[in-house]
Amino acid sequence: MGKDRGSMSVRLLWILVWISAYGQGFSAEVLSKNIFFLAESRGRVTVPISTVGLQGTEHRFQWIWTSHDGRHSNTTIANIISSTWESVSNTLGFSKGSGYGLSMRTNFENAGEFVFMQTKPVSVIVTRFQVFAFKVTPFEWPSFRLGSDVSFSCELSSLPEGTTLQWEREGDPTSNTTLFYNNTVHMVIHSVDQSSKGRCNCTLKQNGILLYEIYNTLNVETSTFNMPVTLFRESSNSSEVEMMCRSSSWHRKASWTKGSSPAEAPATLTSDDRLEIDRFSSPTFKHKDFPLRLSPVEFEDGGVFRCNFNNNLMSYVQLTTIQVSASRGPPGGQSVVLKCEVSEVNGDPVTLAWLRMEGRTGLVVKKDILTESQPNWTLSVTLPSLQRDQLDWQCVVFREDMLRASVPLRLRGAGGRSGIPGLVLPSPLKDDTLQISIIVACTALVVAGILIGALVLHLKKKKTDPAVTSLPLTQKNDPVYGNITDPLAHQEFQGGQDGNEEVHYAEVALVEPRLGDPNRVTSGSNHVQEGGAVIYSTLNI
């Protein structure tokens, strides 16, 4: 009996130790883990599960998936019964991995939350994974055309709280040339040349700590021969554009011309013997390089620019200009109309969108696709009234789903320091109730003041009257002294003081923007990680 008790005690002790280790193993893995991968890359993504020591009878497990794009929620993609896989959904790109792990293709749509849980003998979540997919467009980076505007985008399937997604060039942020919209950060590099070459990184950081990055190398061709480009530029007092014209061989003569239409004879802007005309200028021609600089850019400058060396066409530039404006709505109303217009649309459609900016993030308010056949190329937004959170806007231009230009519009009060003529905007109030209340309160205060003054004078006069002061001391009616107050007038006075301030916005200012060979490298591929001024018009009583 003693031996049985001893052996039983030992067995119970081992069972307790195993349960403790088993429970600690589960609890240690319940914490969510992060996995990042580049969509459409070679290879597969592995969601690993460490080997779990199992004893006893039959055990059942499940893989459950909720996609980041919202198309799938709590979808069972695999059942595991005693180490045997069943119902693995290969149609969605999932398959059996090593051990209890999961393997999947690098599809952007496969990103999401993956839960590995035990369903028998008890139901318990073993591990959670957040699998994030990056998509970079274009995927392959060839050598880009000299003088062109290069546009990239980097999209994340879901943005974790407290993280930032941004483009960097050689380690430096590029906030002045980037736009964050819809979990996608866009970057535009204007008029690229040899100085633009280098590494461009799409980085995901949390509290300044790098979680993941993808980078490509930007290469630029050395000649513009027979390579047409399209440029989008803002029309404003401080904007400019530089058009490239470069050859690898020696030439004697050079010139830049502009034509607004194929039927119109082109006008000469600059040449090797005339380097400047109006707002157009070129440096001294050195037989191979003859760029054209236009500053400032006006809306009417849109058109076709050609550079000729001798009699050979060396550069062909289609310039599209963009202008934004704000104006009042119908007289007497509170509305403000924002307008964005492009000079022309040639070839592929252009998407215009108005974004209301919240910091560096844009929220789409309205967008439209413009085609070549339309009579005008504008997009307008009407604000019923101007609010404090509606002061920063951007009109953005997309072509072939890539950002081509962004033009900010900042609304400010009268007397701002932008130096741009302002537009008197209506008060953000939707009616005149407050103004009427102020007028009524002021009138009541004036009337109350007059009445109080009259009563005080009357009392003083009555106090010094001989008929009053010569009353006999034996009179039984003692004089009564009292303070004269008007509670209603006091309340009206307080009300007038509470409502005597009103904010008036009285100016609109336009703030100008400040603006491959496939040796793609991903950091941590399939990496698992723990873990103007406003003027306030004040009415003083």
Side-chain angles (χ1 to χ4, degrees):
M1 179 70 69
K3 291 182 178 180
D4 292 338
R5 289 180 179 175
S7 60
M8 182 177 297
S9 299
V10 171
R11 284 197 296 270
L12 288 174
L13 178 61
W14 277 109
I15 291 173
L16 291 174
V17 170
W18 178 85
I19 291 175
S20 176
Y22 185 83
Q24 289 178 4
F26 268 3
S27 63
E29 289 192 311
V30 166
L31 296 177
S32 178
K33 300 178 180 179
N34 295 333
I35 296 178
F36 304 94
F37 71 92
L38 176 62
E40 312 306 329
S41 60
R42 297 178 181 178
R44 297 180 67 86
V45 182
T46 300
V47 186
I49 292 292
S50 57
T51 303
V52 179
L54 301 176
Q55 296 184 7
T57 59
E58 177 183 326
H59 290 75
R60 292 176 180 262
F61 296 90
Q62 278 187 338
W63 275 105
I64 300 174
W65 170 52
T66 298
S67 62
H68 283 161
D69 61 15
R71 293 188 300 173
H72 300 272
S73 179
N74 293 326
T75 301
T76 299
I77 55 177
N79 291 308
I80 307 172
I81 304 175
S82 298
S83 302
T84 302
W85 285 67
E86 295 182 357
S87 303
V88 176
S89 180
N90 289 302
T91 58
L92 295 174
F94 302 108
S95 61
K96 180 183 181 300
S98 176
Y100 291 91
L102 187 68
S103 178
M104 61 183 176
R105 294 195 293 265
T106 58
N107 297 338
F108 188 80
E109 297 77 13
N110 286 346
E113 182 186 59
F114 293 81
V115 176
F116 181 68
M117 67 179 302
Q118 176 182 294
T119 58
K120 190 177 180 181
V122 293
S123 180
V124 60
I125 293 177
V126 181
T127 313
R128 294 179 185 271
F129 291 90
Q130 284 289 345
V131 180
F132 299 93
F134 285 77
K135 181 191 295 183
V136 175
T137 307
F139 186 78
E140 301 290 350
W141 289 21
S143 291
F144 294 95
R145 296 177 179 179
L146 177 65
S148 64
D149 289 346
V150 175
S151 181
F152 310 116
S153 69
C154 180
E155 182 180 1
L156 187 60
S157 56
S158 177
L159 191 67
E161 185 176 354
T163 61
T164 57
L165 184 69
Q166 67 180 20
W167 279 104
E168 296 179 355
R169 296 179 61 190
E170 299 294 344
D172 296 325
T174 57
S175 58
N176 288 339
T177 57
T178 58
L179 171 71
F180 186 78
Y181 155 69
N182 220 14
N183 281 354
T184 305
V185 59
H186 299 267
M187 176 176 66
V188 179
I189 306 176
H190 290 156
S191 301
V192 294
D193 59 12
Q194 300 308 308
S195 65
S196 307
K197 295 171 61 175
R199 200 171 88 167
C200 298
N201 299 32
C202 175
T203 64
L204 178 68
K205 293 183 178 181
Q206 187 171 44
N207 299 324
I209 299 174
L210 180 66
L211 300 181
Y212 192 76
E213 71 172 356
I214 302 166
Y215 68 84
N216 265 342
T217 301
L218 172 63
N219 292 305
V220 181
E221 297 179 354
T222 58
S223 172
T224 60
F225 180 71
N226 198 27
M227 292 183 180
V229 298
T230 299
L231 307 179
F232 291 85
R233 290 296 184 274
E234 174 193 359
S235 165
S236 67
N237 291 333
S238 62
S239 61
E240 65 178 33
V241 59
E242 186 171 8
M243 306 176 213
M244 302 292 185
C245 184
R246 187 176 301 167
S247 173
S248 57
S249 58
W250 193 91
H251 295 81
R252 292 175 52 194
K253 305 291 290 182
S255 64
W256 274 98
T257 62
K258 180 198 174 185
S260 299
S261 66
E264 181 184 18
T268 301
L269 303 174
T270 64
S271 63
D272 56 279
D273 57 358
R274 188 179 183 184
L275 301 179
E276 187 172 351
I277 177 173
D278 297 330
R279 294 169 292 109
F280 301 91
S281 62
S282 294
T284 302
F285 181 47
K286 297 181 179 180
H287 305 291
K288 291 185 178 182
D289 193 14
F290 195 58
L292 175 67
R293 183 175 183 270
L294 169 58
S295 179
V297 178
E298 297 181 355
F299 187 69
E300 294 73 19
D301 290 329
V304 176
F305 294 78
R306 293 179 173 87
C307 174
N308 291 280
F309 283 179
N310 296 343
N311 293 320
N312 301 317
L313 180 63
M314 291 302 303
S315 182
Y316 180 98
V317 179
Q318 171 69 56
L319 177 64
T320 300
T321 54
I322 313 159
Q323 68 178 2
V324 295
S325 61
S327 60
R328 299 184 57 153
Q334 302 288 328
S335 62
V336 178
V337 180
L338 311 181
K339 181 180 179 182
C340 181
E341 181 178 7
V342 295
S343 58
E344 54 196 320
V345 175
N346 290 300
D348 295 327
V350 168
T351 299
L352 284 187
W354 272 111
L355 306 183
R356 180 170 59 84
M357 303 305 295
E358 293 185 357
R360 60 186 292 265
T361 303
L363 304 176
V364 177
V365 175
K366 187 177 181 180
K367 66 178 180 179
D368 194 13
I369 299 176
L370 310 180
T371 61
E372 191 173 357
S373 60
Q374 292 180 232
N376 57 70
W377 302 290
T378 63
L379 179 67
S380 298
V381 169
T382 300
L383 309 178
S385 63
L386 188 63
Q387 306 297 331
R388 289 178 181 268
D389 60 348
Q390 296 178 342
L391 299 181
D392 292 313
W393 297 82
Q394 282 198 35
C395 174
V396 295
V397 181
F398 286 88
R399 193 174 189 181
E400 297 177 332
D401 296 326
M402 299 297 291
L403 178 69
R404 301 301 177 181
S406 60
V407 182
L409 173 65
R410 179 164 294 174
L411 309 181
R412 283 293 179 260
R417 299 180 181 179
S418 63
I420 299 175
L423 171 70
V424 178
L425 294 177
S427 164
L429 296 175
K430 296 184 178 180
D431 53 49
D432 297 328
T433 303
L434 182 57
Q435 296 181 9
I436 295 173
S437 300
I438 293 174
I439 294 173
V440 171
C442 292
T443 304
L445 287 173
V446 172
V447 173
I450 294 173
L451 292 175
I452 292 173
L455 287 173
V456 170
L457 290 175
H458 176 71
L459 287 175
K460 287 184 177 181
K461 182 178 179 181
K462 187 172 183 180
K463 185 176 180 180
T464 56
D465 194 335
V468 175
T469 56
S470 60
L471 286 174
L473 296 178
T474 57
Q475 184 174 344
K476 294 182 179 181
N477 293 331
D478 295 331
V480 177
Y481 300 92
N483 293 325
I484 300 176
T485 60
D486 187 345
L488 181 60
H490 177 70
Q491 293 174 6
E492 291 174 339
F493 178 79
Q494 293 293 337
Q497 286 292 89
D498 289 342
N500 69 345
E501 288 195 6
E502 177 185 358
V503 177
H504 296 269
Y505 300 91
E507 181 187 284
V508 171
L510 307 185
V511 177
E512 291 73 24
R514 307 173 183 268
L515 291 181
D517 48 16
N519 41 348
R520 174 183 305 273
V521 181
T522 62
S523 170
S525 181
N526 195 25
H527 172 67
V528 180
Q529 177 180 349
E530 301 291 344
V534 179
I535 301 300
Y536 297 90
S537 178
T538 306
L539 176 63
N540 295 318
I541 303 302

